[in-house]
Amino acid sequence: MRTERYTDQHAPRPVATVPASTLRHAVEQSSGAIVITDLDGNIEYANPAFSRLTGYALEEVVGQHTRMFASGTHPRAFYKDLWDTILSGREWNGEVLNRKKDGTLYWEALSISPVIENRQLVHFVATKEDSTERRLLVDALEAAKREQEKISAMKDAFLATISHEIRTPLNVILGFSSLLEQVYGQGMAADDRSYFEGMRQAGDRLLRTMDLLVNISAIISGNYAPCIEEYDVVTGLESLVDQFSQAAHEKRLALEYQPLRHAIHVRLDRYAFEQSMQHLIDNAIKFTRDGRVSVSVHDGPGAVCIEVVDTGEGMSEDFLSHAFVPFSQEDSGITRRHEGLGVGLSLTKRYIEANKGTLSVESEKGRGTRFRVHFPVIS
Protein backbone atom coordinates (compact mmCIF):
# COMPACT_ATOMS: atom_id res chain seq x y z
CA MET A 1 0.00 0.00 0.00
CA ARG A 2 2.56 2.54 -1.14
CA THR A 3 2.78 5.12 -3.89
CA GLU A 4 5.65 7.35 -5.00
CA ARG A 5 6.71 9.46 -2.07
CA TYR A 6 6.51 13.22 -2.19
CA THR A 7 9.65 15.32 -2.69
CA ASP A 8 9.25 19.05 -2.22
CA GLN A 9 11.37 20.81 -4.85
CA HIS A 10 10.25 24.35 -4.18
CA ALA A 11 9.13 24.88 -0.59
CA PRO A 12 11.53 27.03 1.49
CA ARG A 13 13.09 25.48 4.53
CA PRO A 14 11.12 26.48 7.65
CA VAL A 15 12.88 28.60 10.22
CA ALA A 16 12.30 27.72 13.89
CA THR A 17 11.24 30.70 15.98
CA VAL A 18 10.21 28.81 19.16
CA PRO A 19 12.68 26.96 21.39
CA ALA A 20 12.59 23.17 21.03
CA SER A 21 11.81 22.76 24.73
CA THR A 22 8.77 24.99 24.38
CA LEU A 23 7.53 22.96 21.42
CA ARG A 24 8.06 19.72 23.36
CA HIS A 25 6.11 20.96 26.37
CA ALA A 26 3.32 22.29 24.13
CA VAL A 27 2.92 18.87 22.51
CA GLU A 28 3.08 16.98 25.81
CA GLN A 29 0.58 19.29 27.51
CA SER A 30 -1.81 19.49 24.56
CA SER A 31 -5.36 18.28 25.27
CA GLY A 32 -5.47 16.79 21.78
CA ALA A 33 -3.89 13.42 21.07
CA ILE A 34 -0.75 13.70 18.90
CA VAL A 35 1.09 10.83 17.20
CA ILE A 36 4.26 10.95 15.08
CA THR A 37 5.08 8.07 12.74
CA ASP A 38 7.69 7.23 10.16
CA LEU A 39 6.78 6.97 6.47
CA ASP A 40 5.63 3.36 6.92
CA GLY A 41 3.19 4.21 9.69
CA ASN A 42 5.27 2.92 12.60
CA ILE A 43 4.75 4.97 15.75
CA GLU A 44 7.73 6.97 16.97
CA TYR A 45 6.04 9.22 19.51
CA ALA A 46 2.66 9.75 21.20
CA ASN A 47 1.77 12.37 23.79
CA PRO A 48 -0.05 11.80 27.13
CA ALA A 49 -3.40 12.85 25.61
CA PHE A 50 -3.06 9.93 23.22
CA SER A 51 -2.70 7.56 26.17
CA ARG A 52 -5.79 9.02 27.80
CA LEU A 53 -7.72 8.59 24.56
CA THR A 54 -6.69 5.03 23.68
CA GLY A 55 -5.64 3.49 27.00
CA TYR A 56 -2.17 2.58 25.66
CA ALA A 57 1.01 3.74 27.40
CA LEU A 58 3.73 5.23 25.20
CA GLU A 59 6.02 2.21 25.61
CA GLU A 60 3.22 -0.08 24.39
CA VAL A 61 2.86 1.65 21.03
CA VAL A 62 6.32 2.90 20.06
CA GLY A 63 7.55 0.79 17.19
CA GLN A 64 4.06 -0.58 16.52
CA HIS A 65 2.16 0.08 13.30
CA THR A 66 -0.92 2.30 13.46
CA ARG A 67 -3.01 -0.59 12.12
CA MET A 68 -3.03 -1.93 15.70
CA PHE A 69 -5.93 0.46 16.35
CA ALA A 70 -7.96 -0.56 13.30
CA SER A 71 -11.51 -1.63 13.96
CA GLY A 72 -11.75 -3.74 10.81
CA THR A 73 -14.85 -1.89 9.62
CA HIS A 74 -13.33 0.37 6.95
CA PRO A 75 -12.72 -1.04 3.45
CA ARG A 76 -9.23 -1.26 1.95
CA ALA A 77 -10.09 1.59 -0.43
CA PHE A 78 -10.54 3.88 2.60
CA TYR A 79 -6.97 3.33 3.80
CA LYS A 80 -5.57 3.44 0.25
CA ASP A 81 -7.04 6.90 -0.22
CA LEU A 82 -5.57 7.98 3.13
CA TRP A 83 -2.07 6.74 2.26
CA ASP A 84 -2.16 8.04 -1.30
CA THR A 85 -3.01 11.46 0.07
CA ILE A 86 -0.34 11.77 2.75
CA LEU A 87 2.43 10.15 0.70
CA SER A 88 1.82 12.79 -1.98
CA GLY A 89 2.55 15.45 0.63
CA ARG A 90 -1.03 16.51 1.21
CA GLU A 91 -2.96 16.67 4.45
CA TRP A 92 -5.72 14.10 5.11
CA ASN A 93 -8.75 14.86 7.25
CA GLY A 94 -11.60 12.57 8.16
CA GLU A 95 -13.24 10.34 10.74
CA VAL A 96 -12.00 6.86 11.58
CA LEU A 97 -13.57 4.14 13.67
CA ASN A 98 -10.75 2.78 15.83
CA ARG A 99 -10.35 0.41 18.76
CA LYS A 100 -9.05 1.27 22.26
CA LYS A 101 -6.84 -1.00 24.36
CA ASP A 102 -9.86 -2.42 26.20
CA GLY A 103 -11.55 -3.27 22.87
CA THR A 104 -13.99 -0.35 22.90
CA LEU A 105 -14.75 1.04 19.47
CA TYR A 106 -14.76 4.81 19.16
CA TRP A 107 -14.84 7.44 16.44
CA GLU A 108 -11.98 9.85 16.18
CA ALA A 109 -11.65 13.02 14.13
CA LEU A 110 -8.26 12.46 12.54
CA SER A 111 -5.95 14.89 10.75
CA ILE A 112 -2.64 13.64 9.30
CA SER A 113 -0.04 16.11 8.06
CA PRO A 114 3.31 15.45 6.33
CA VAL A 115 6.54 16.58 8.01
CA ILE A 116 9.11 17.84 5.51
CA GLU A 117 12.82 18.27 6.24
CA ASN A 118 15.35 19.40 3.63
CA ARG A 119 12.57 19.20 1.05
CA GLN A 120 12.01 15.52 1.81
CA LEU A 121 9.01 13.83 3.38
CA VAL A 122 10.32 12.28 6.61
CA HIS A 123 7.46 11.85 9.09
CA PHE A 124 3.72 12.08 9.56
CA VAL A 125 2.11 13.84 12.48
CA ALA A 126 -1.48 12.98 13.36
CA THR A 127 -3.83 14.83 15.68
CA LYS A 128 -6.80 12.92 17.07
CA GLU A 129 -9.95 13.87 18.92
CA ASP A 130 -12.74 11.65 20.23
CA SER A 131 -15.78 12.39 18.06
CA THR A 132 -17.93 9.46 19.17
CA GLU A 133 -20.74 11.51 20.69
CA ARG A 134 -20.95 13.81 17.70
CA ARG A 135 -20.89 10.88 15.28
CA LEU A 136 -23.59 9.03 17.21
CA LEU A 137 -25.73 12.17 17.12
CA VAL A 138 -25.20 12.54 13.36
CA ASP A 139 -26.04 8.86 12.83
CA ALA A 140 -29.17 9.21 14.95
CA LEU A 141 -30.29 12.27 13.00
CA GLU A 142 -29.67 10.51 9.69
CA ALA A 143 -31.60 7.46 10.89
CA ALA A 144 -34.45 9.68 12.01
CA LYS A 145 -34.44 11.42 8.63
CA ARG A 146 -34.58 8.10 6.80
CA GLU A 147 -37.42 6.96 9.02
CA GLN A 148 -39.28 10.21 8.43
CA GLU A 149 -38.83 9.84 4.68
CA LYS A 150 -40.12 6.27 4.91
CA ILE A 151 -43.15 7.39 6.91
CA SER A 152 -43.78 10.24 4.48
CA ALA A 153 -43.67 7.86 1.52
CA MET A 154 -46.06 5.49 3.29
CA LYS A 155 -48.38 8.40 4.08
CA ASP A 156 -48.40 9.57 0.47
CA ALA A 157 -49.10 6.04 -0.76
CA PHE A 158 -51.85 5.65 1.85
CA LEU A 159 -53.51 8.93 0.91
CA ALA A 160 -53.32 8.12 -2.78
CA THR A 161 -54.93 4.72 -2.19
CA ILE A 162 -57.60 6.08 0.14
CA SER A 163 -58.34 8.93 -2.25
CA HIS A 164 -58.90 6.48 -5.08
CA GLU A 165 -60.89 4.04 -2.98
CA ILE A 166 -63.18 6.80 -1.66
CA ARG A 167 -63.52 8.91 -4.79
CA THR A 168 -64.48 6.07 -7.10
CA PRO A 169 -67.46 4.69 -5.14
CA LEU A 170 -68.45 8.18 -3.99
CA ASN A 171 -68.67 9.44 -7.56
CA VAL A 172 -70.82 6.43 -8.38
CA ILE A 173 -73.11 7.18 -5.43
CA LEU A 174 -73.41 10.85 -6.37
CA GLY A 175 -74.00 10.00 -10.01
CA PHE A 176 -76.77 7.50 -9.29
CA SER A 177 -78.40 9.77 -6.69
CA SER A 178 -78.51 12.53 -9.31
CA LEU A 179 -80.05 10.09 -11.79
CA LEU A 180 -82.64 8.97 -9.24
CA GLU A 181 -83.52 12.59 -8.55
CA GLN A 182 -84.08 13.22 -12.23
CA VAL A 183 -86.23 10.10 -12.69
CA TYR A 184 -88.28 10.11 -9.48
CA GLY A 185 -87.76 13.57 -7.97
CA GLN A 186 -90.59 15.30 -9.86
CA GLY A 187 -93.22 13.06 -8.27
CA MET A 188 -91.91 13.51 -4.73
CA ALA A 189 -92.98 15.92 -2.04
CA ALA A 190 -90.65 18.86 -1.41
CA ASP A 191 -89.47 17.41 1.90
CA ASP A 192 -88.59 14.12 0.26
CA ARG A 193 -86.68 15.81 -2.54
CA SER A 194 -84.52 17.55 0.06
CA TYR A 195 -82.94 14.15 0.78
CA PHE A 196 -81.18 14.33 -2.57
CA GLU A 197 -79.75 17.74 -1.68
CA GLY A 198 -78.50 16.31 1.61
CA MET A 199 -76.74 13.47 -0.20
CA ARG A 200 -75.15 15.91 -2.64
CA GLN A 201 -73.89 18.20 0.13
CA ALA A 202 -72.50 15.26 2.13
CA GLY A 203 -70.76 13.90 -0.97
CA ASP A 204 -69.28 17.28 -1.87
CA ARG A 205 -68.03 17.69 1.69
CA LEU A 206 -66.27 14.32 1.56
CA LEU A 207 -64.70 15.13 -1.80
CA ARG A 208 -63.42 18.47 -0.45
CA THR A 209 -61.95 16.67 2.54
CA MET A 210 -60.03 14.30 0.29
CA ASP A 211 -58.79 17.19 -1.85
CA LEU A 212 -57.50 19.02 1.22
CA LEU A 213 -55.70 15.97 2.59
CA VAL A 214 -54.05 15.15 -0.72
CA ASN A 215 -53.06 18.79 -1.37
CA ILE A 216 -51.63 19.47 2.10
CA SER A 217 -49.69 16.19 1.92
CA ALA A 218 -48.22 17.12 -1.47
CA ILE A 219 -47.09 20.59 -0.45
CA ILE A 220 -45.65 19.53 2.93
CA SER A 221 -43.68 16.67 1.34
CA GLY A 222 -42.33 18.99 -1.36
CA ASN A 223 -44.17 17.27 -4.21
CA TYR A 224 -46.12 20.40 -5.18
CA ALA A 225 -44.78 21.73 -8.48
CA PRO A 226 -46.47 25.06 -9.41
CA CYS A 227 -47.43 25.63 -13.01
CA ILE A 228 -46.61 29.31 -13.43
CA GLU A 229 -48.60 31.41 -15.91
CA GLU A 230 -49.72 34.99 -16.40
CA TYR A 231 -53.00 35.62 -14.58
CA ASP A 232 -55.39 38.58 -14.35
CA VAL A 233 -56.23 38.87 -10.65
CA VAL A 234 -59.14 41.31 -11.14
CA THR A 235 -61.06 39.14 -13.61
CA GLY A 236 -60.18 35.91 -11.78
CA LEU A 237 -61.48 37.19 -8.45
CA GLU A 238 -64.71 38.38 -10.03
CA SER A 239 -65.41 34.85 -11.22
CA LEU A 240 -64.50 33.39 -7.82
CA VAL A 241 -66.78 35.78 -5.92
CA ASP A 242 -69.67 34.92 -8.26
CA GLN A 243 -69.30 31.26 -7.28
CA PHE A 244 -70.16 32.15 -3.67
CA SER A 245 -73.07 34.47 -4.34
CA GLN A 246 -75.66 31.73 -3.76
CA ALA A 247 -74.04 30.60 -0.48
CA ALA A 248 -73.99 34.19 0.79
CA HIS A 249 -77.61 34.73 -0.34
CA GLU A 250 -78.77 31.65 1.56
CA LYS A 251 -77.23 33.07 4.76
CA ARG A 252 -78.63 36.54 3.95
CA LEU A 253 -75.14 38.01 3.87
CA ALA A 254 -74.00 40.87 1.68
CA LEU A 255 -71.17 39.63 -0.53
CA GLU A 256 -69.32 42.59 -2.04
CA TYR A 257 -66.56 42.72 -4.62
CA GLN A 258 -64.58 45.91 -5.03
CA PRO A 259 -62.31 45.48 -8.06
CA LEU A 260 -60.00 47.91 -9.75
CA ARG A 261 -61.02 49.42 -13.07
CA HIS A 262 -58.06 47.87 -14.87
CA ALA A 263 -56.48 44.43 -15.10
CA ILE A 264 -53.66 43.42 -12.77
CA HIS A 265 -51.36 40.72 -14.11
CA VAL A 266 -49.25 38.47 -11.90
CA ARG A 267 -47.29 35.29 -12.53
CA LEU A 268 -48.44 32.36 -10.42
CA ASP A 269 -50.03 28.93 -10.36
CA ARG A 270 -53.68 29.53 -11.23
CA TYR A 271 -54.93 26.43 -9.42
CA ALA A 272 -53.12 27.32 -6.20
CA PHE A 273 -54.32 30.93 -6.34
CA GLU A 274 -57.95 30.01 -6.95
CA GLN A 275 -57.91 27.31 -4.26
CA SER A 276 -56.47 29.80 -1.78
CA MET A 277 -58.95 32.56 -2.52
CA GLN A 278 -61.88 30.13 -2.55
CA HIS A 279 -60.92 28.97 0.91
CA LEU A 280 -60.62 32.51 2.28
CA ILE A 281 -64.01 33.53 0.84
CA ASP A 282 -65.66 30.27 1.91
CA ASN A 283 -64.28 30.68 5.44
CA ALA A 284 -65.53 34.26 5.62
CA ILE A 285 -69.05 33.17 4.69
CA LYS A 286 -68.97 30.10 6.93
CA PHE A 287 -67.92 32.02 10.04
CA THR A 288 -70.22 35.02 9.50
CA ARG A 289 -73.78 34.78 10.80
CA ASP A 290 -74.93 38.22 9.74
CA GLY A 291 -73.46 41.31 8.17
CA ARG A 292 -71.23 41.22 5.12
CA VAL A 293 -68.23 39.72 3.40
CA SER A 294 -66.10 42.01 1.28
CA VAL A 295 -63.44 41.12 -1.31
CA SER A 296 -61.33 43.98 -2.65
CA VAL A 297 -58.25 44.52 -4.81
CA HIS A 298 -55.74 47.33 -4.27
CA ASP A 299 -52.90 48.33 -6.57
CA GLY A 300 -49.67 49.16 -4.75
CA PRO A 301 -46.05 49.84 -5.78
CA GLY A 302 -44.86 46.64 -7.41
CA ALA A 303 -47.54 44.50 -5.80
CA VAL A 304 -51.25 43.80 -5.74
CA CYS A 305 -53.09 43.51 -2.42
CA ILE A 306 -56.23 41.39 -2.06
CA GLU A 307 -58.34 41.73 1.08
CA VAL A 308 -61.08 39.40 2.32
CA VAL A 309 -62.95 41.02 5.18
CA ASP A 310 -65.90 39.71 7.16
CA THR A 311 -68.01 40.80 10.14
CA GLY A 312 -68.11 37.29 11.55
CA GLU A 313 -67.02 35.46 14.67
CA GLY A 314 -63.36 36.44 14.49
CA MET A 315 -60.48 34.64 16.17
CA SER A 316 -59.07 34.95 19.66
CA GLU A 317 -55.59 36.33 20.23
CA ASP A 318 -54.39 32.94 21.50
CA PHE A 319 -55.60 31.11 18.39
CA LEU A 320 -54.12 33.66 15.98
CA SER A 321 -50.60 32.57 16.93
CA HIS A 322 -51.16 29.11 15.43
CA ALA A 323 -54.00 29.75 12.99
CA PHE A 324 -51.82 28.54 10.10
CA VAL A 325 -50.71 25.30 11.79
CA PRO A 326 -52.22 22.21 10.09
CA PHE A 327 -55.26 20.69 11.84
CA SER A 328 -55.64 23.68 14.17
CA GLN A 329 -59.21 24.65 15.00
CA GLU A 330 -60.38 27.14 17.60
CA ASP A 331 -63.72 25.36 17.87
CA SER A 332 -62.80 21.68 18.21
CA GLY A 333 -64.28 18.48 19.54
CA ILE A 334 -67.52 16.70 18.69
CA THR A 335 -69.56 19.72 19.78
CA ARG A 336 -67.95 22.10 17.28
CA ARG A 337 -70.34 24.15 15.19
CA HIS A 338 -68.41 24.15 11.92
CA GLU A 339 -67.20 21.32 9.71
CA GLY A 340 -63.67 20.96 8.41
CA LEU A 341 -60.26 19.49 9.19
CA GLY A 342 -58.42 22.67 10.11
CA VAL A 343 -55.94 22.40 7.24
CA GLY A 344 -57.43 25.00 4.88
CA LEU A 345 -55.61 28.04 6.26
CA SER A 346 -52.31 26.18 6.45
CA LEU A 347 -52.67 25.02 2.85
CA THR A 348 -53.71 28.50 1.73
CA LYS A 349 -50.63 30.10 3.30
CA ARG A 350 -48.29 27.51 1.82
CA TYR A 351 -49.86 27.88 -1.64
CA ILE A 352 -49.52 31.65 -1.52
CA GLU A 353 -45.93 31.61 -0.27
CA ALA A 354 -44.97 28.99 -2.88
CA ASN A 355 -46.11 31.53 -5.48
CA LYS A 356 -43.96 34.34 -3.99
CA GLY A 357 -46.91 35.90 -2.17
CA THR A 358 -47.57 36.72 1.48
CA LEU A 359 -50.61 36.14 3.68
CA SER A 360 -51.40 38.01 6.89
CA VAL A 361 -54.43 38.15 9.16
CA GLU A 362 -55.99 40.57 11.63
CA SER A 363 -58.87 39.41 13.76
CA GLU A 364 -60.72 40.11 16.97
CA LYS A 365 -63.12 37.78 18.70
CA GLY A 366 -66.68 38.81 17.88
CA ARG A 367 -65.53 41.65 15.59
CA GLY A 368 -64.60 39.89 12.36
CA THR A 369 -61.47 39.03 10.39
CA ARG A 370 -59.35 40.64 7.69
CA PHE A 371 -57.02 38.61 5.48
CA ARG A 372 -54.46 40.36 3.28
CA VAL A 373 -52.74 38.69 0.35
CA HIS A 374 -49.89 40.36 -1.56
CA PHE A 375 -48.46 39.22 -4.89
CA PRO A 376 -45.74 40.92 -6.95
CA VAL A 377 -47.13 42.28 -10.22
CA ILE A 378 -45.54 41.87 -13.64
CA SER A 379 -43.51 44.98 -14.39
Side-chain angles (χ1 to χ4, degrees):
M1 190 187 296
R2 289 292 182 271
T3 61
E4 183 179 349
R5 291 180 176 174
Y6 168 84
T7 301
D8 188 347
Q9 302 294 336
H10 304 288
R13 185 174 181 176
V15 179
T17 58
V18 179
S21 60
T22 301
L23 291 175
R24 184 179 66 253
H25 289 309
V27 170
E28 291 178 350
Q29 296 174 24
S30 171
S31 60
I34 298 175
V35 178
I36 299 176
T37 74
D38 62 17
L39 298 185
D40 292 319
N42 298 308
I43 299 173
E44 297 181 340
Y45 170 81
N47 71 347
F50 168 84
S51 297
R52 293 193 296 270
L53 175 64
T54 65
Y56 286 99
L58 176 61
E59 57 270 19
E60 294 179 289
V61 297
V62 169
Q64 300 294 323
H65 196 277
T66 52
R67 69 170 64 95
M68 69 180 293
F69 310 112
S71 63
T73 58
H74 296 290
R76 291 177 60 87
F78 175 86
Y79 293 106
K80 183 179 186 305
D81 173 73
L82 185 155
W83 277 103
D84 287 349
T85 300
I86 60 178
L87 285 172
S88 67
R90 292 177 290 130
E91 184 178 281
W92 186 92
N93 294 283
E95 279 192 314
V96 183
L97 184 63
N98 275 343
R99 190 181 302 275
K100 296 183 179 183
K101 182 179 180 179
D102 62 6
T104 302
L105 295 179
Y106 74 103
W107 284 97
E108 65 179 29
L110 175 62
S111 177
I112 306 176
S113 301
V115 178
I116 299 171
E117 293 181 4
N118 297 323
R119 300 183 179 181
Q120 295 291 324
L121 185 62
V122 293
H123 296 285
F124 297 118
V125 58
T127 58
K128 303 167 176 276
E129 183 180 67
D130 192 335
S131 61
T132 304
E133 290 187 5
R134 187 191 67 80
R135 184 58 184 254
L136 291 176
L137 177 60
V138 170
D139 290 345
L141 290 174
E142 290 178 349
K145 181 182 178 181
R146 290 193 297 270
E147 184 65 21
Q148 181 62 36
E149 291 172 348
K150 179 181 177 181
I151 293 172
S152 179
M154 292 175 61
K155 176 198 66 180
D156 292 342
F158 172 78
L159 282 175
T161 301
I162 290 298
S163 176
H164 173 75
E165 292 301 316
I166 290 179
R167 285 176 187 274
T168 301
L170 182 58
N171 283 326
V172 173
I173 293 171
L174 291 175
F176 276 112
S177 66
S178 177
L179 179 61
L180 288 172
E181 183 179 12
Q182 293 177 27
V183 175
Y184 301 106
Q186 297 302 320
M188 289 183 175
D191 288 345
D192 293 335
R193 287 200 304 272
S194 67
Y195 298 152
F196 291 108
E197 178 63 25
M199 283 190 289
R200 184 162 49 252
Q201 290 180 356
D204 290 343
R205 175 181 175 182
L206 189 53
L207 286 174
R208 287 197 306 271
T209 298
M210 291 309 307
D211 285 340
L212 283 171
L213 286 174
V214 171
N215 290 345
I216 194 71
S217 174
I219 201 166
I220 288 177
S221 62
N223 293 326
Y224 163 63
C227 180
I228 304 300
E229 60 180 303
E230 187 173 323
Y231 183 81
D232 177 11
V233 170
V234 175
T235 303
L237 276 175
E238 183 176 8
S239 175
L240 292 175
V241 172
D242 285 343
Q243 295 177 25
F244 289 93
S245 58
Q246 181 61 31
H249 177 73
E250 290 175 357
K251 293 189 69 172
R252 298 183 178 181
L253 299 175
L255 178 58
E256 305 170 355
Y257 179 45
Q258 303 170 23
L260 292 171
R261 296 182 180 273
H262 58 279
I264 296 291
H265 293 279
V266 297
R267 289 188 58 80
L268 44 68
D269 183 304
R270 178 172 183 168
Y271 173 82
F273 173 80
E274 292 182 351
Q275 288 290 305
S276 301
M277 299 313 303
Q278 284 175 351
H279 182 76
L280 292 180
I281 298 171
D282 182 58
N283 255 19
I285 294 174
K286 181 168 69 173
F287 291 102
T288 302
R289 292 185 179 181
D290 55 71
R292 64 182 180 84
V293 174
S294 173
V295 180
S296 59
V297 183
H298 309 282
D299 193 5
V304 58
C305 175
I306 303 164
E307 290 191 341
V308 180
V309 183
D310 66 65
T311 58
E313 299 175 13
M315 293 178 272
S316 66
E317 186 175 347
D318 290 339
F319 180 72
L320 273 176
S321 61
H322 56 276
F324 298 112
V325 177
F327 303 104
S328 294
Q329 292 178 298
E330 187 169 16
D331 184 16
S332 59
I334 61 174
T335 60
R336 62 195 176 118
R337 292 172 295 166
H338 304 287
E339 64 181 50
L341 295 173
V343 300
L345 277 182
S346 174
L347 181 60
T348 295
K349 184 176 178 65
R350 290 171 186 262
Y351 269 150
I352 290 172
E353 290 178 346
N355 284 274
K356 303 186 184 305
T358 61
L359 173 64
S360 60
V361 59
E362 297 175 3
S363 189
E364 184 178 347
K365 197 67 176 175
R367 299 292 297 273
T369 302
R370 179 188 301 270
F371 285 97
R372 287 192 180 94
V373 181
H374 287 86
F375 285 106
V377 298
I378 299 175
S379 56

